Amino acid sequence: MLSQIKAIVEAISPRLIEIRRHLHSHPELSGQEYKTAAYVAGVLSSCGLRVQELVGKTGVVAELPGADDPRILAVRADMDALPIAERVDLPFASNQSGIMHACGHDVHTTVGLGTAMVLAQLGLPLPGTTRFLFQPAEETAQGARWMIEDGVMAGVAAILGLHAYPTVPARAIGVRYGALTAAADDLEIIVVGESGHGARPHEAIDAIWIASQVITTLQQAISRTQNPLHPIVLTIGQIQGGRAPNVIADTVKLLGTVRSLHPDTRNHLPQWIESIVAGVCQPYGAKYEINYRRGVPSVLNDPTLTELTARCASEALGNEYLQIIHEPSLGAEDFSLYLEHAPGTMFRLGVGFTDRAVNYPLHHPKFEVDESAIAAGVLTMAYASCRYWQLPPHPSGD
């Protein structure tokens, strides 16, 4: 079977490059992937798959029926781009001003389509059904929820996903056992003081100064009160407040993100943050409001499916192209929400150029991928999708 998959991947590789370049030059923002979805649906329909559009708002679902195994294996790819102006001089650069595939989702979608093309061309049906999920709005952490609410995980026994990574060389596959990404939560802190003249601060309660103390104290307290083996990253990325240079602000809003790896740590963070904010505000007579919104949990890779992916990558590409990832990322991925419904694993697809001194990171306006990675991604995903059916039911042991 592996030799057949390799032959198909080699034959369709030019088409895969064409697909990726089309997607790259026509990026769409989260929740607006209408043209992308129509293009994806057209490719899937041409493969003979059953296709359903407008799932999860702008998502696409396609199924390749199996033989007699009742299980469903899901393969997930995300489709949205970012509000970033591309600064790479490519003949297929973004034609949408201020929008760019700076996170590799064009590669993810291409690998998903390539996997569908390979499995459809194998000739004989696989034992069970393969369901392809082309998801919108990963960048806003909404798309997976939308898809799940529309029932895409019904009957799914396992799910596979991937993410492009520029620090991994092209054609290499990175796997991690356990936590791959962090939980990501949203934080809003509103500090309320009393306005006054800039020349008489003693007659006011300076919300800007108090908010600055809140930021500093939170960062200091993390290093002295939290377990350093259970990492936390708290970043305030936006500050809103003040009306004039000579007027003491009465209200400041702080907006940020909180990342963590351990569930127990995550659960106590809202109370801990409030205790810090209260301790800063109350001595100065300021009031506060905290809105802590739980976002997506960590991607926790299933050990059996991770081992399957590692074995398939090694056999298909060579052991030298397999990397074991020893440390998790504190980035976030809403692929984790699917894992609340079925075991799964996400691997990293290396897209870095080996002959360049600098590979720009994800979300950078000069982010670029070595397109030779696409065939490696399709080969790994398609082979793992075929080998999955040799696993016993409930690979996580549930």
Side-chain angles (χ1 to χ4, degrees):
M1 179 178 290
L2 179 55
S3 59
Q4 186 180 3
I5 292 173
K6 285 184 174 181
I8 297 172
V9 171
E10 183 177 0
I12 67 173
S13 285
R15 172 61 173 148
L16 296 177
I17 299 299
E18 177 185 301
I19 289 171
R20 185 261 162 168
R21 292 183 177 185
H22 172 87
L23 295 170
H24 189 84
S25 64
H26 297 81
E28 294 176 297
L29 294 175
S30 302
Q32 302 175 28
E33 305 92 340
Y34 297 103
K35 293 181 180 179
T36 302
Y39 181 85
V40 166
V43 174
L44 294 167
S45 296
S46 70
C47 298
L49 276 67
R50 300 186 305 220
V51 180
Q52 183 179 0
E53 298 182 66
L54 300 178
V55 182
K57 300 186 186 299
T58 53
V60 179
V61 175
E63 284 193 350
L64 183 66
D68 53 6
D69 192 318
R71 291 177 292 174
I72 298 173
L73 173 67
V75 174
R76 178 269 203 168
D78 41 4
M79 304 186 295
D80 54 328
L82 285 158
I84 294 175
E86 185 165 13
R87 289 165 50 198
V88 182
D89 185 17
L90 296 170
F92 52 90
S94 171
N95 62 15
Q96 301 298 309
S97 177
I99 304 176
M100 175 192 177
H101 271 296
C103 200
H105 293 190
D106 51 342
V107 174
H108 303 171
T109 299
T110 303
V111 171
L113 291 172
T115 301
M117 295 163 71
V118 170
L119 299 186
Q121 292 182 39
L122 286 177
L124 294 175
L126 294 169
T129 296
T130 308
R131 180 179 294 167
F132 296 91
L133 312 180
F134 291 88
Q135 176 202 308
E138 187 279 329
E139 295 294 352
T140 59
Q142 295 175 298
R145 283 193 176 91
W146 296 343
M147 297 286 280
I148 291 167
E149 288 170 358
D150 277 358
V152 302
M153 292 301 288
V156 170
I159 184 166
L160 304 177
L162 80 156
H163 201 297
Y165 230 71
T167 57
V168 177
R171 298 180 298 282
I173 302 295
V175 301
R176 171 157 171 82
Y177 295 85
L180 177 69
T181 66
D185 299 328
D186 295 328
L187 176 63
E188 179 187 67
I189 302 172
I190 302 173
V191 176
V192 181
E194 290 186 10
S195 187
H197 197 292
R200 294 186 288 275
H202 60 290
E203 297 176 356
I205 300 175
D206 190 341
I208 286 181
W209 177 74
I210 295 170
S212 70
Q213 301 303 306
V214 167
I215 296 172
T216 301
T217 304
L218 282 170
Q219 299 299 343
Q220 291 174 337
I222 286 175
S223 69
R224 309 323 299 169
T225 68
Q226 300 301 304
N227 186 345
L229 299 179
H230 293 181
I232 300 168
V233 172
L234 191 159
T235 296
I236 299 298
Q238 190 173 9
I239 301 175
Q240 302 172 357
R243 293 188 295 275
N246 62 343
V247 177
I248 291 174
D250 60 353
T251 303
V252 172
K253 181 184 292 186
L254 308 175
L255 300 171
T257 183
V258 185
R259 307 296 174 104
S260 58
L261 286 173
H262 292 76
D264 290 343
T265 299
R266 186 189 189 199
N267 289 337
H268 92 265
L269 281 172
Q271 181 179 357
W272 176 79
I273 290 170
E274 181 164 5
S275 70
I276 298 296
V277 175
V280 173
C281 289
Q282 289 171 356
Y284 303 111
K287 299 178 182 178
Y288 66 88
E289 178 183 340
I290 297 175
N291 297 307
Y292 191 101
R293 186 179 69 84
R294 288 173 70 92
V296 298
S298 297
V299 170
L300 296 176
N301 283 337
D302 176 81
T304 302
L305 294 170
T306 303
E307 176 62 26
L308 169 71
T309 303
R311 189 166 60 249
C312 289
S314 179
E315 293 178 9
L317 302 170
N319 195 56
E320 66 273 21
Y321 289 104
L322 174 65
Q323 293 189 2
I324 304 300
I325 302 167
H326 298 290
E327 299 292 340
S329 165
L330 287 174
E333 240 288 353
D334 71 358
F335 180 78
S336 59
L337 296 175
Y338 297 111
L339 303 182
E340 297 179 337
H341 300 267
T345 193
M346 169 175 277
F347 65 86
R348 289 181 181 172
L349 173 63
V351 296
F353 292 88
T354 57
D355 58 349
R356 295 187 182 181
V358 176
N359 280 290
Y360 289 97
L362 301 171
H363 293 209
H364 192 283
K366 291 186 177 181
F367 171 74
E368 193 177 353
V369 305
D370 182 335
E371 292 179 320
S372 66
I374 295 172
V378 174
L379 187 55
T380 301
M381 187 69 82
Y383 189 37
S385 299
C386 292
R387 289 285 299 273
Y388 166 76
W389 305 105
Q390 299 175 8
L391 296 176
H394 308 299
S396 67
D398 293 342

